[in-house]
Amino acid sequence: MKKKRKLPLVVLSDIHLGTYGCHANELVSYLKSIQPEMLVLNGDIIDIWNFTKSYFPASHMNVLRQILKMSNQGTKVVYITGNHDEALRKYSDTNLGNIELVDKLILELDEKKIWIFHGDVFDSSTKGYAKIIAKLGGKGYDLLILINTFLNWLLVLVGKEKRSFSKKIKDSVKKAVAFISNFETTAAEIAIEKKYDYVICGHIHKPQMKEVSNENGKVMYLNSGDWVENLTALEYNKKKWRLYYYQKIDYTNQTESIDDAIINDIVSKILA
């Protein structure tokens, strides 16, 4: 068996257990490969918004089992609530053995101040009447992921590489791109004002590591991405952060191909 990688801190977010898009088997494989001192689950771990009794497969339960196993073996697990699991917020500041449930987390690591929270506080679409629309949109997104899974099955059947159609569509919508940019800027500016060295979010399913600066200072903005489309985690080791991409499904740095042209055609028709 391959030796587990020992890490001081790992951050995961937007796993969305209980939805068709969740890559539970891949996540279990990843969790079994690491031995972190602290595991931060930064929101939208269990998708309570879209939860149904008819769909919570064994592979999704295995994720929870593995996290519990890690906590029993000494890993400190901090569960930060997100919008899709906001029902847990009434239990915030609860400790169950080696597992802590909170709404945000502030750490000091190697003399650096770190502010970790999900990020839905910046998103007006998760509040009031807009929240109902967002939930309906979540259902549509889950359906799109299901269609994506079927299309990828067909691609593999004919010897082609898998593709993330849903990610392609989302990245093509100008409003979504603008929202992500505004989200990152807002998080960074507040972190600079509060004198943090790092700010870590989830929520927008966009893995990122970048320095943001303004007239008041600078901060390192990080986003752990998700386990629906990007299959990413943030790892801290030897005083450095890095974005981990699950190796078997990595949609970055792919060259234009016939399949990409097909995807672009599908995207243009959907957005037309």
Side-chain angles (χ1 to χ4, degrees):
M1 183 180 291
K2 191 175 180 180
K3 191 175 181 180
K4 292 185 178 182
R5 292 185 296 118
K6 294 184 178 181
L7 300 163
L9 177 61
V10 171
V11 181
L12 295 168
S13 70
D14 300 273
I15 296 170
H16 291 276
L17 293 169
T19 67
Y20 294 109
C22 173
H23 286 267
N25 288 325
E26 290 85 349
L27 180 55
V28 169
S29 295
Y30 170 65
L31 290 172
K32 286 182 176 180
S33 74
I34 59 173
Q35 188 178 334
E37 293 175 21
M38 179 181 286
L39 174 64
V40 176
L41 304 172
N42 195 11
D44 290 2
I45 306 305
I46 302 172
D47 197 323
I48 298 174
W49 274 15
N50 296 304
F51 180 81
T52 62
K53 291 181 180 179
S54 61
Y55 188 78
F56 203 88
S59 60
H60 292 214
M61 188 61 71
N62 287 340
V63 172
L64 298 178
R65 286 196 184 100
Q66 182 60 31
I67 291 170
L68 287 172
K69 182 178 179 181
M70 292 169 74
S71 73
N72 289 333
Q73 292 176 341
T75 294
K76 173 70 175 177
V77 177
V78 181
Y79 191 132
I80 301 175
T81 54
N83 53 303
H84 283 254
D85 43 22
E86 64 182 351
L88 298 175
R89 284 181 174 158
K90 58 186 174 183
Y91 305 110
S92 290
D93 300 319
T94 297
N95 287 280
L96 294 170
N98 217 17
I99 300 175
E100 184 179 0
L101 181 68
V102 297
D103 293 332
K104 62 182 178 181
L105 180 65
I106 297 171
L107 296 173
E108 188 161 329
L109 205 57
D110 294 318
E111 300 181 353
K112 300 289 185 181
K113 289 182 70 177
I114 304 168
W115 180 31
I116 309 176
F117 63 105
H118 184 63
D120 57 296
V121 66
F122 300 143
D123 190 351
S124 60
S125 71
T126 65
K127 300 173 180 66
Y129 290 112
K131 180 178 174 180
I132 298 172
I133 298 172
K135 285 186 176 182
L136 291 172
K139 296 287 186 183
Y141 178 65
D142 207 27
L143 177 60
L144 181 59
I145 292 290
L146 186 60
I147 294 170
N148 197 157
T149 302
F150 173 69
L151 291 174
N152 272 331
W153 177 79
L154 291 176
L155 285 174
V156 171
L157 199 64
V158 297
K160 301 292 184 180
E161 290 288 327
K162 291 182 179 180
R163 295 289 189 271
S164 178
F165 298 92
S166 53
K167 185 173 184 292
K168 193 84 173 179
I169 290 170
K170 188 169 68 175
D171 290 348
S172 300
V173 179
K174 290 181 180 179
K175 285 186 178 179
V177 174
F179 169 75
I180 288 171
S181 177
N182 291 337
F183 177 95
E184 294 174 345
T185 301
T186 302
E189 286 180 347
I190 294 174
I192 290 171
E193 184 181 333
K194 291 177 176 287
K195 307 297 182 185
Y196 292 112
D197 297 291
Y198 297 97
V199 56
I200 301 175
C201 300
H203 188 55
I204 56 174
H205 294 212
K206 182 72 174 178
Q208 184 66 271
M209 286 181 61
K210 66 178 181 180
E211 186 176 85
V212 179
S213 60
N214 60 23
E215 64 275 9
N216 297 316
K218 64 181 180 179
V219 70
M220 197 69 178
Y221 166 84
L222 301 97
N223 196 298
S224 45
D226 66 282
W227 282 80
V228 176
E229 296 168 324
N230 296 290
L231 283 68
T232 51
L234 281 168
E235 297 181 347
Y236 183 80
N237 194 27
K238 297 179 180 178
K239 299 185 179 182
K240 291 182 180 180
W241 285 99
R242 79 150 180 155
L243 267 171
Y244 169 89
Y245 284 80
Y246 185 77
Q247 296 303 306
K248 290 185 179 179
I249 303 178
D250 183 356
Y251 295 108
T252 62
N253 301 320
Q254 292 194 7
T255 57
E256 185 75 5
S257 67
I258 294 175
D259 287 337
D260 291 313
I262 293 172
I263 295 170
N264 288 330
D265 182 56
I266 293 171
V267 170
S268 64
K269 288 177 179 176
I270 291 174
L271 299 178

